[in-house]
Amino acid sequence: MDKEAIADLIDAKHVQLISWLEQQPDESWTTGPEGKWTQGQQALHLLQSIKPLNDALSLPNFVLRYKFGKANRPVRDYNAIVKRYQERLVDAKGKTFKGSQNMKVPTLEDKKYILNRLQTESKKLQYKTKKISDKNLDSVILPHPLMGKMPVREIIMWTAYHVEHHTEIMQAKN
């Protein structure tokens, strides 16, 4: 998938998520199914996953290469990444990334802020995706808590799918 297509996918998935969340009743933001995350927690989790990616992509590529190494395999396509993520989710048996464990329920007052931050971080990621060279997209790697080290191109495609995954979970529970 080329940079433009990835950036467009990031945009489409975030627009879909944010517009859906804005249309939901207020109580859905703070109250969820028994033992499951609320819409507010889902949105906060997505923000917690995109922010470190943008922060990492703000660093010089040589720093990332020094810290995490270089890719030692070809880049997987979008469908392969989705399939691998779904397999890893099954293996994880419901465990959550430590930054999202025991997450507080964001208040209704936090909703606008979280949605604005998500939109801003999405725009940042789109911009960074278009600006990074194809060589660096495919050779620079970053760690993913569930998937292991991934080339930047893959982790950005995964980010688009991650948003879709959580949007579908929330829509199914509505």
Side-chain angles (χ1 to χ4, degrees), residues 95-112:
K95 284 188 180 169
T96 307
F97 162 66
K98 71 175 179 177
S100 294
Q101 289 173 351
N102 307 315
M103 190 185 333
K104 291 181 181 159
V105 176
T107 66
L108 198 52
E109 292 74 36
D110 296 330
K111 182 176 182 177
K112 187 172 184 165

Side-chain angles (χ1 to χ4, degrees), residues 27-81:
E27 58 272 8
S28 298
W29 183 258
T30 55
T31 308
E34 186 66 35
K36 300 291 182 186
W37 282 348
T38 67
Q39 290 175 4
Q41 288 171 307
Q42 299 263 5
L44 183 57
H45 169 73
L46 291 170
L47 182 58
Q48 289 173 335
S49 78
I50 195 172
K51 180 86 175 75
L53 176 56
N54 276 331
D55 291 348
L57 294 177
S58 295
L59 297 170
N61 290 315
F62 76 87
V63 172
L64 298 176
R65 269 197 204 90
Y66 176 76
K67 193 166 182 173
F68 304 115
K70 285 174 34 178
N72 61 1
R73 60 171 175 77
V75 173
R76 295 180 179 107
D77 68 19
Y78 181 80
N79 292 330
I81 295 163

Side-chain angles (χ1 to χ4, degrees), residues 89-155:
L89 281 176
V90 170
D91 294 343
K93 298 176 177 65
K95 284 188 180 169
T96 307
F97 162 66
K98 71 175 179 177
S100 294
Q101 289 173 351
N102 307 315
M103 190 185 333
K104 291 181 181 159
V105 176
T107 66
L108 198 52
E109 292 74 36
D110 296 330
K111 182 176 182 177
K112 187 172 184 165
Y113 172 79
I114 290 171
L115 295 183
N116 283 341
R117 291 295 311 142
L118 254 178
Q119 189 170 36
T120 300
E121 293 297 329
S122 168
K123 294 296 179 199
K124 278 186 193 175
L125 185 56
Q126 292 165 54
Y127 176 81
K128 290 170 192 255
T129 300
K130 291 176 184 177
K131 291 297 177 195
I132 192 170
S133 72
D134 282 309
K135 177 181 178 252
N136 285 328
L137 271 174
D138 297 341
S139 66
V140 174
I141 58 174
L142 291 172
H144 183 282
L146 188 61
M147 306 271 285
K149 289 182 179 178
M150 300 170 71
V152 170
R153 187 182 305 267
E154 285 186 15
I155 209 162

